[in-house]
Amino acid sequence: MSRPHRRGHTERQPHRRPAELPARPWEYALNTIATHQEQAAVPATGWWTEAVIYQIYPRSFADSGGDGIGDLPGITARLDHLVELGVDAIWLSPFYPSPQADAGYDVADYRDVDPLFGTLADADNLIAQARARNLRVIVDLVPNHTSSAHRWFQAALAAGPGSAERQRYVFRDGRGADGAEPPNDWQSVFGGPAWTRVADGQWYLHLFDPGQPDLNWDDPEVRAEFLDVLRFWLDRGVDGFRVDVAHGLIKQADLADWREPQEILSGQEAEKPRPPMWDQDGVHEIYREWRRLLDGYPGERILVAEAWVEPAERLARYVRPDEMHQAFNFEYLLASWTAPAQYAVITRSLEATDAVGAPTTWVLSNHDVVRHASRLGLPIGTAPRPNGIGVDDEQPDAATGLRRARAATLLMLALPGSAYLYQGEELGLPEHTTLPDEARQDPTWERSGHTQRGRDGCRVPIPWEADAPSYGFGPTDASWLPQPPIWAEYALDRQRGTPGSTYEMYRTALHLRRERGLGRGTLEWLASGDEVLAFRNGNLVVLTNFGAAAVPPPAGKLLHSSGPLDESGHVPTDTTVWVEV
Ligand code: GLC
């Protein structure tokens, strides 16, 4: 018998990959061929270990004011949608005062709301209204860098070289006879050098936009300030923080040259050294201190790491029992749509987090990657980042993309652990792949010298009503990024109550997931071939067919499927079914 996932016991055995698979493994639904039950640490408990968390990108969710930019009152007015959908929590991307050099990930004041999005009173109201509906609220914390408009950075510019004010950031003299060369060869994630020279000749580091100077986390004032920012939002009642670029805060002390193209992902292949700007061991002490602070608050407040760190064992260090609660599983998001790749990444993810007693997380889309309904419509294996898709790029096949996205989602929502959804994916929303280049706002497009489209295509305001101005996003036609005409087909009001719609597929899945406790269940592999994956979680058997030919479903009662079965009742290609056994 299987035992529930994350009910800790002490022996750790390597996960078994079946040497030989049955020829038609889906016919052997009850013959477990591998059970995921090897845990080494005392498992965590709490709402977050199994929660479905919905990411709201405030500027694109709902615009109450009609200026074309979504806002906090707009979100509050739409909370009932999220209750109906059946999620447990929302995560809000930044809404703090900001020059918006990077859509708010350049924070000028960590303790207020940008007038674009509303007021602090609107934030309090949103938190209160969410709580009244049993929705938890997670806010974004951006500790790697401030905005260049932050009072600290302005003070650093004014105070000059060698000052305590400059100590809070990473200022250095340049190289070369007159210091006209940057201090090292690092490139910004958005393209171009990671250093900008200021009037007195010194340079400052920005791993992202020049409007996002990196903080110096060796400075005690920086540490004290962020503890205070955490308290500010905890006292206002938030349930947690999504920690932006959590793997970047500490840099290798010598700021050694890197000589590699700059990526946000710190892959750690054996033959390659770890990049000097990512995943340095010193970051963990910071999160331990934050965890102690959160643990002093009533309720279960959580920290979620946005850490582009591979392999999974290295990522799992962020979620050790005295550090963060969760980390985004980007290896899962990046995995190809093939049965072996999905089997491998799911297995590896569960093993790595089980070893530290943390829940695994699952995510397919967010505001930084091509939406999965489009990504999966490109040839299998196409990288989801950093490039967006432009009008002259290869266009995804919309039907294939949506079919695979629905299959991927249904597979994901049956996995034990916590799942993240990105606004609009419940509508099957594709990437805007023909966005006019002149409308682009992501700094990536300019800074890469127009070689990378960037992330605007996944950030387009979402459609609520097919026949309303801005598809119901706001009361006017204004929209900070143009919405494509196909948005009408995807609007919520076209899908609500329509059997077989993507929205109803999500709603049913989330309802069944909650009812059956799938998030806290156990995963047992039943089949992992080249074309079919099947696993069991409780009394549910989940089968995904990646192959071209239809396969018979597992015996039992069909509870849910990502698409129709064929005339003979078989599971067609790129389809997931949930069967009760
Ligand atoms: C994270 C955010 C991304 C932002 C970057 C810099 O990766 O998700 O949107 O551009 O950090 O803050």
Side-chain angles (χ1 to χ4, degrees):
M1 262 314 283
S2 61
R3 113 193 45 201
H5 177 61
R6 284 196 308 281
R7 295 284 164 267
H9 65 114
T10 46
E11 236 172 277
R12 181 166 163 77
Q13 313 145 358
H15 184 86
R16 284 176 297 126
R17 166 135 205 187
E20 250 176 68
L21 293 166
R24 296 164 67 77
W26 52 92
E27 290 176 355
Y28 302 95
L30 295 175
N31 281 344
T32 300
I33 54 178
T35 301
H36 184 76
Q37 59 173 28
E38 54 278 355
Q39 294 96 4
V42 177
T45 55
W47 68 271
W48 46 277
T49 59
E50 55 177 309
V52 175
I53 302 174
Y54 181 99
Q55 179 187 0
I56 293 182
Y57 196 65
R59 51 171 53 230
S60 302
F61 188 70
D63 172 20
S64 75
D67 62 354
I69 300 182
D71 46 44
L72 301 186
I75 298 169
T76 305
R78 295 282 191 183
L79 285 177
D80 287 333
H81 163 66
L82 302 174
V83 173
E84 183 185 87
L85 180 61
V87 302
D88 302 298
I90 56 176
W91 146 38
L92 300 158
S93 279
F95 48 73
Y96 315 109
S98 161
Q100 309 289 331
D102 182 23
Y105 281 95
D106 47 323
V107 179
D109 179 354
Y110 291 85
R111 298 181 185 78
D112 205 347
V113 174
D114 195 293
L116 271 182
F117 301 121
T119 63
L120 209 45
D122 291 330
D124 289 339
N125 188 40
L126 169 51
I127 295 166
Q129 292 296 323
R131 161 146 329 138
R133 290 166 175 80
N134 284 323
L135 289 171
R136 310 241 180 188
V137 179
I138 292 171
V139 294
D140 221 304
L141 185 75
V142 188
N144 181 66
H145 42 264
T146 68
S147 161
S148 53
H150 192 282
R151 65 186 162 82
W152 272 8
F153 192 72
Q154 291 303 312
L157 291 181
S163 60
E165 286 83 351
R166 283 212 176 170
Q167 266 304 314
R168 295 168 179 150
Y169 292 91
V170 187
F171 277 89
R172 292 288 185 279
D173 293 330
R175 292 203 281 211
D178 54 358
E181 303 289 320
N184 71 19
D185 68 355
W186 295 4
Q187 297 293 299
S188 136
V189 171
F190 297 152
W195 296 89
T196 290
R197 200 172 194 191
V198 301
D200 55 50
Q202 275 209 314
W203 298 76
Y204 71 89
L205 175 70
H206 51 85
L207 289 177
F208 296 89
D209 191 76
Q212 295 167 297
D214 280 56
L215 285 162
N216 169 21
W217 274 86
D218 292 326
D219 186 280
E221 260 193 283
V222 171
R223 298 203 179 211
E225 169 70 359
F226 274 87
L227 287 171
D228 199 61
V229 170
L230 289 170
R231 278 187 215 105
F232 179 87
W233 290 103
L234 289 167
D235 290 342
R236 300 197 101 80
V238 303
D239 297 284
F241 302 88
R242 175 265 189 190
V243 181
D244 191 63
V245 200
H247 60 320
L249 276 51
I250 300 287
K251 281 79 181 174
Q252 195 172 293
D254 60 1
L255 300 182
D257 279 340
W258 173 232
R259 293 173 225 281
E260 301 274 336
Q262 185 60 66
E263 285 172 24
I264 197 171
L265 181 65
S266 163
Q268 212 206 0
E269 295 149 38
E271 69 280 8
K272 240 178 148 190
R274 187 154 351 110
M277 68 292 287
W278 303 132
D279 195 28
Q280 302 295 305
D281 289 343
V283 296
H284 297 287
E285 191 39 53
I286 299 170
Y287 304 134
R288 290 197 184 102
E289 193 173 14
W290 293 5
R291 177 64 180 258
R292 287 194 292 273
L293 175 74
L294 263 69
D295 283 349
Y297 273 80
E300 294 162 349
R301 320 283 182 109
I302 69 165
L303 296 165
V304 186
E306 188 225 15
W308 293 83
V309 169
E310 282 182 345
E313 294 70 33
R314 192 80 202 168
L315 180 65
R317 294 158 49 96
Y318 288 77
V319 290
R320 288 176 288 194
D322 59 346
E323 296 195 37
M324 301 221 200
H325 298 74
Q326 297 185 338
F328 288 100
N329 184 351
F330 293 125
E331 199 176 340
Y332 177 70
L333 184 152
L334 296 166
S336 318
W337 183 247
T338 67
Q342 295 286 319
Y343 173 85
V345 73
I346 292 168
T347 303
R348 223 174 16 241
S349 306
L350 289 166
E351 285 179 357
T353 46
D354 278 358
V356 294
T360 313
T361 67
W362 312 103
V363 59
L364 289 165
S365 279
N366 65 32
H367 66 294
D368 290 329
V369 301
V370 171
R371 282 182 176 277
H372 67 288
S374 296
R375 194 168 82 223
L376 298 176
L378 290 170
I380 284 171
T382 307
R385 70 169 290 142
N387 274 304
I389 301 173
V391 68
D392 47 8
D393 293 324
E394 177 175 7
Q395 295 294 303
D397 182 275
T400 304
L402 183 58
R403 194 174 63 242
R404 287 184 181 155
R406 291 171 54 128
T409 296
L410 222 51
L411 192 169
M412 172 178 87
L413 289 176
L415 294 170
S418 172
Y420 279 82
L421 306 179
Y422 175 50
Q423 65 178 39
E425 69 167 86
E426 76 277 25
L427 306 174
L429 215 60
E431 186 87 355
H432 189 344
T433 57
T434 56
L435 192 68
D437 287 337
E438 55 284 7
R440 293 191 185 279
Q441 311 256 340
D442 181 355
T444 305
W445 174 235
E446 288 303 327
R447 287 195 55 84
S448 69
H450 296 182
T451 57
Q452 292 183 19
R453 253 34 197 245
R455 302 160 294 177
D456 293 307
C458 65
R459 298 176 174 181
V460 176
I462 62 172
W464 297 88
E465 286 123 31
D467 301 319
S470 64
Y471 305 103
F473 165 60
T476 67
D477 265 325
S479 170
W480 71 279
L481 285 172
Q483 299 165 297
I486 50 160
W487 254 212
E489 299 166 31
Y490 294 92
L492 177 66
D493 68 348
R494 289 268 173 97
Q495 301 199 36
R496 220 164 156 242
T498 305
S501 71
T502 302
Y503 175 70
E504 293 300 338
M505 184 202 88
Y506 268 77
R507 217 155 75 85
T508 303
L510 291 170
H511 172 78
L512 289 169
R513 179 187 156 94
R514 186 177 281 175
E515 185 186 76
R516 287 156 190 266
L518 299 178
R520 56 175 181 274
T522 306
L523 183 144
E524 289 169 52
W525 287 114
L526 304 174
S528 72
D530 285 337
E531 315 213 308
V532 171
L533 269 194
F535 63 86
R536 176 174 170 154
N537 181 351
N539 65 356
L540 191 76
V541 168
V542 178
L543 178 147
T544 302
N545 179 14
F546 296 80
V551 299
K557 179 177 165 204
L558 182 70
L559 289 183
H560 201 17
S561 75
S562 66
L565 302 192
D566 71 10
E567 323 73 58
S568 22
H570 287 185
V571 183
T573 184
D574 292 328
T575 301
T576 297
V577 290
W578 289 9
V579 173
E580 185 178 65
V581 293

